[in-house]
Each structure stands twice: as C-alpha cells, then as structure tokens.
Amino acid sequence: MSSPAIERILGGPTGLGTSGLQLRPQAPAPQAPVPQAPAPQAVVPEVAAPAVTVPEAVVPEAAPAVPAPEAVAPAAPAVEAPAPEVPTASAAEAALVEVVAVEAIAAKIGVGTGAAPGIGTGSGALDALLDGFRLPSVPSLAQLLPASAAAAPRGGKPRTGDPIPGLYHHPIAEPDPVRVEALSQRIKAWAIDEIELYPPEWEKDFDGFSTGRYMVACHPDAPSIDHLMLAARLMVAENAVDDCYCEDLGGSPIGLGSRLLLAHTALDPLHTTGEYHPAWEASLGEDAARRSYRSAMDYFVRASTPSQADRFRHDMARLHLGYLAEASWAQDEHVPEVWEYLAMRQFNNFRPCPTITDTVGGYELPVELHALPAMQRVIALAGNATTIVNDLYSYTKELASPGLHLNLPVVISEREGVSRKKGYLKAVEVHNELMHAFEAESAALAVACPVPSLVRFLRGVAAWLDGNHYWHQTNIHRYSLPDFW
C-alpha cells in the first residue's frame, strides 16, 4: 500500500481512540495527569504518557495525550465518570488500520517473517520500541515477551510451595506486606460486618484464601487500598457464589440456572414495575452470595465509569454461562471432548478479574480499544491460560472431592486414553502454548496501537496473570502438587 494511502488511514478519524497511531518516530507527548479522587486514600498518581519511538515511515508528528477518567472512592456518593470522548469509525477501517500497522512494523523489524518465534527473540529494534512503554510500579512490557519468563526446572521433585515443574511463568517479588495486612483487615471487616458473608466455622477457610495477598500481587499499580478493595470485594463475592451455588459449601448442579440468574440481577439490576420491585429488592439479601454480589457491585459502580461497569457485567454473564455448561455435564455424568472442555473454560474462567485492571488502577481503557478484535483475543488467551493454572494447582484438591471432578488433566486422560500423569503433563504444555500466544500477541498489539492506556492495560492483565500464578503456587493452605516427578 502506498504511503499516501497509509497516511490517510492512520490520520483518522479512527476507532482506536486517537489519530496518533502512526508508523514513524514521535515527539514526546505531553503528560496526562490523572485528577485526584475526592476521598482520602483514593489518590491516583500522575502517569505520564510515555514517548514512543516507532520505525521511521513518514514525517514526525506529536501524539495527542489520552485523558484518564476520574476514579471515585467506594465510600463516596455515586458519580458517573464520563467515558473519554473517542472518535468512532467503521469496523472495516479499524481493522485496516490494525493490519497496516502490524504489517508495516513487521516488515521493518522482521516480526512474523520467519524469525522464530516472531516476537520475543531478542530483536534490538523491538526492544527499542517497547522500552518507552515502561511505567513506575508496573511490570515493563518486556515481561510480556516469552524470552523474559522463567519456567520451573524440569528435574527433581518439587518441594512444598515450589512452582509446577516445566510450567511457563513469571516469578514476582513478595507483595508489599503493609498493603497485604491493611487489605486483609478491611476485606474481612467487610465480609463480617457489612454483609455477614460466612458463619464462624468458615473463618479458617476465609483466612486461608489470603485475599489480601492475592489482590496485592495481582494489582501492583493500584493507587490505594480503596482501589484494591474494589477487586477484593468482587473476588470474595465471586468465590462465595462458586462455593455456595456450585461446589464446596452446599452447591449443586440441580437448579443452578435459577440461582445464578437471580444472583446476576444483583450485578445487572431488574427494571420492572413498582408493584414487583420491592420483592426483587428484598431477595438480594436472602443469601450470602447475593448479599456479596450486591455490595461489591455497588462499590464498583461508584468507582468505575458506566462502560467499565457494563464490561464487568458482560464478563460475569460469560462466567455464569460457563458454570451452567459444567453443571450440565456433571448432571449427565458426561466427560466432554478436550476441545469442548476448553470451550467451557473460556467462559468459566478468571476473565472478570484481570479485565478490571484499569478500574483498580484508576484509569480507563476506552471502550473502542477494549472492543478491538485483537484485544478481545489477547484477553481470551490470558483468561484461558491463567484458568489452566487453577486446573493444575487444584488438581489434588479436586481429586479428594466426590465423583469425577473435571479439569484439563482429567479430561485429556479420559478422552485421549493416557495415564493421569501424562494427562497432567500435557495440560502443562497446553498452558505454556497459550501463555506464549498471549504474550506474543500482546506485544504485537502494543506496538501496532501505542496508546498509553492500551499498553498499560496489557501490562495490567499480564501482571494479574503473574500474581494469580504466585498465589496458586504459594497458597499451601489450599493446594499441593501431585507426585508426578
């Protein structure tokens, strides 16, 4: 395609939220300060829009700053923070921009032209492109690349608290103990005092879940404990629904659809007549699952923009759909094909957790960028990979449950006629392949669309995956590894 044609496509307006997606060197963009939240502790640090150096193709021009929305502390009155104004474009134009950008950069630096594995091979040009995206307190984009990760040694029997041998992952530093302690105290007070989540006999399991350590590890760029509480409440609520409706604490596949639908109205409220509204309102306090959903969502809505809240509702609908598929198989005692199981796990997975990284971080990924097909693929790969981490670390825990509990190692073993050990080790390989795909495509998307909020969102998702692995690896109260090495 000719240079004038590329310039016309990239010059906007585009559906990418900026006309600054250009294949050329760019002058440093002005800083995009984030306004402080009105309540104490909910102060979002200033994040400078990093300068991006892209291989030369056309004349230099400065990229516009991307404004970040206001983050509101959970205790504040409900405030609808306006979503950033983003130019719209047809899907065809947005897709064409993406294709042109990726192909042009690939031609310059050799990505996808036979250099295995494409991205993450130590290309100096690519390193130079990615270096400008580093932000304080957030893992650098280089950590999205396969070459920067560490797989556990394959030899020897793992000790308690060791990672799974051969599992591709990024080790992280211990979470800030001050933040962990503060968050742990606040989330427990919320669970006991505000919503009466659990009876005294469940306290040991609640403490053993280590919600504070989990969320601090997964959200290293959260500006305050208030922001971390947004993620912590939702995590506890989601776990309560899973335990109480589906699994450990009285859950059953029988009648699950009805229970999940009614609980979902705590996230996506019923709009009905005055006659029937009070009965629905009263139902939200009938059990711990609905109380936790309602309270956690109320806080989240007050701190997020309308589009962020709607994104979360849709991701939770995906999760509940996956619950129902798994419940159907349990009722029928059906073992799905491996691909069918993976399809279910794309819905029954961690997706709602990393995709709130921008809300917890005090900024917003514009809806147009979130909707990009390339972004949706990256998010799906991330959710699929990190959910298999759960299948692998919870394997022995699930073996102890009644009946045949489905997870990827078990389904591979049953459907492909191999031993449990071979099924487990193949599941490790499936995870690793998904992680490599997630990292390579994240890096390609960041290079093709160097918008600061998009790059930060990708790093936030990657950081969540690292934190999720850390939590599974180190939570010896819940998990232990099988004797396969």
Side-chain angles (χ1 to χ4, degrees):
M1 185 177 291
S2 67
S3 293
I6 294 175
E7 182 71 4
R8 178 181 60 78
I9 294 168
L10 299 182
T14 76
L16 298 178
T18 177
S19 60
L21 173 57
Q22 298 150 347
L23 308 179
R24 56 189 170 189
Q26 296 179 0
Q31 290 189 336
V34 182
Q36 292 186 346
Q41 290 189 315
V43 178
V44 184
E46 292 188 353
V47 179
V52 181
T53 303
V54 184
E56 183 174 353
V58 289
V59 181
E61 185 176 295
V66 180
E70 182 177 356
V72 183
V79 176
E80 291 191 359
E85 294 184 7
V86 183
T88 58
S90 68
E93 183 183 18
L96 188 55
V97 169
E98 188 178 348
V99 169
V100 170
V102 172
E103 289 182 351
I105 294 171
K108 281 283 185 182
I109 63 176
V111 174
T113 57
I119 287 183
T121 57
S123 163
L126 183 57
D127 291 342
L129 283 171
L130 302 182
D131 187 62
F133 291 120
R134 293 176 182 155
L135 294 176
S137 304
V138 187
S140 70
L141 189 60
Q143 287 185 298
L144 296 176
L145 304 181
S148 66
R154 291 184 177 274
K157 185 175 181 178
R159 298 166 298 179
T160 300
D162 277 355
I164 293 170
L167 189 74
Y168 178 83
H169 69 283
H170 296 267
I172 67 170
E174 285 293 315
D176 179 357
V178 175
R179 280 195 155 196
V180 169
E181 180 62 24
L183 185 59
S184 298
Q185 290 180 4
R186 286 190 57 182
I187 192 61
K188 190 169 184 178
W190 172 76
I192 296 173
D193 300 335
E194 288 195 42
I195 63 169
E196 299 178 353
L197 177 64
Y198 60 86
E201 57 267 27
W202 294 0
E203 183 173 10
K204 183 179 179 181
D205 284 333
F206 183 88
D207 293 341
F209 193 82
S210 302
T211 305
R213 191 165 55 93
Y214 194 176
M215 294 297 95
V216 173
C218 287
H219 295 283
D221 67 336
S224 70
I225 300 299
D226 284 338
H227 289 82
L228 287 167
M229 278 293 291
L230 299 173
R233 290 188 200 94
L234 291 172
M235 173 60 75
V236 168
E238 290 155 24
N239 208 52
V241 170
D242 190 25
D243 284 346
C244 296
Y245 284 4
C246 305
E247 294 190 5
D248 301 336
L249 303 174
S252 166
I254 299 172
L256 179 59
S258 173
R259 294 193 298 274
L260 283 178
L261 184 144
L262 295 178
H264 194 83
T265 66
L267 308 174
D268 197 349
L270 175 65
H271 299 274
T272 187
T273 64
E275 179 182 358
Y276 299 109
H277 186 274
W280 165 74
E281 183 82 19
S283 76
L284 299 181
E286 287 183 359
D287 60 31
R290 279 182 274 186
R291 288 195 301 274
S292 60
Y293 262 9
R294 181 187 191 181
S295 177
M297 192 65 184
D298 283 349
Y299 280 99
F300 188 77
V301 167
R302 292 203 293 269
S304 63
T305 67
S307 64
Q308 287 174 318
D310 199 51
R311 180 203 306 168
F312 179 75
R313 292 186 188 102
H314 279 82
D315 282 347
M316 290 300 292
R318 288 183 172 100
L319 175 65
H320 293 157
L321 182 62
Y323 284 171
L324 293 175
E326 187 174 28
S328 172
W329 293 337
Q331 256 187 295
D332 296 340
E333 297 183 347
H334 171 68
V335 178
E337 298 289 345
V338 176
W339 71 265
E340 291 175 322
Y341 177 82
L342 292 172
M344 181 274 293
R345 267 318 219 175
Q346 181 163 306
F347 291 83
N348 176 6
N349 81 9
F350 284 112
R351 178 184 175 123
C353 304
T355 53
I356 63 170
T357 183
D358 55 338
T359 305
V360 179
Y363 67 99
E364 181 177 24
L365 175 71
V367 64
E368 289 84 358
L369 296 180
H370 174 262
L372 286 173
M375 176 62 79
Q376 288 299 303
R377 175 164 167 75
V378 164
I379 290 171
L381 288 168
N384 293 349
T386 201
T387 300
I388 293 175
V389 167
N390 178 262
D391 277 15
L392 294 168
Y393 277 101
S394 64
Y395 177 80
T396 57
K397 177 175 176 282
E398 292 172 350
L399 281 180
S401 61
L404 183 68
H405 193 106
L406 296 182
N407 53 50
L408 184 57
V410 166
V411 172
I412 291 174
S413 174
E414 291 285 321
R415 280 298 185 179
E416 298 186 0
V418 298
S419 68
R420 289 291 193 254
K421 176 179 178 179
K422 288 184 177 179
Y424 189 96
L425 298 181
K426 185 169 183 180
V428 171
E429 294 174 2
V430 172
H431 164 272
N432 292 352
E433 186 173 340
L434 289 171
M435 276 293 290
H436 285 300
F438 159 69
E439 293 181 335
E441 297 200 26
S442 293
L445 177 56
V447 171
C449 184
V451 179
S453 61
L454 179 142
V455 176
R456 185 176 178 187
F457 184 87
L458 292 174
R459 285 205 304 276
V461 172
W464 199 95
L465 268 59
D466 296 343
N468 188 48
H469 174 268
Y470 161 86
W471 177 80
H472 279 84
Q473 174 196 331
T474 59
N475 194 329
I476 58 176
H477 172 79
R478 292 173 64 87
Y479 306 121
S480 61
L481 298 184
D483 189 16
F484 288 158
W485 298 276

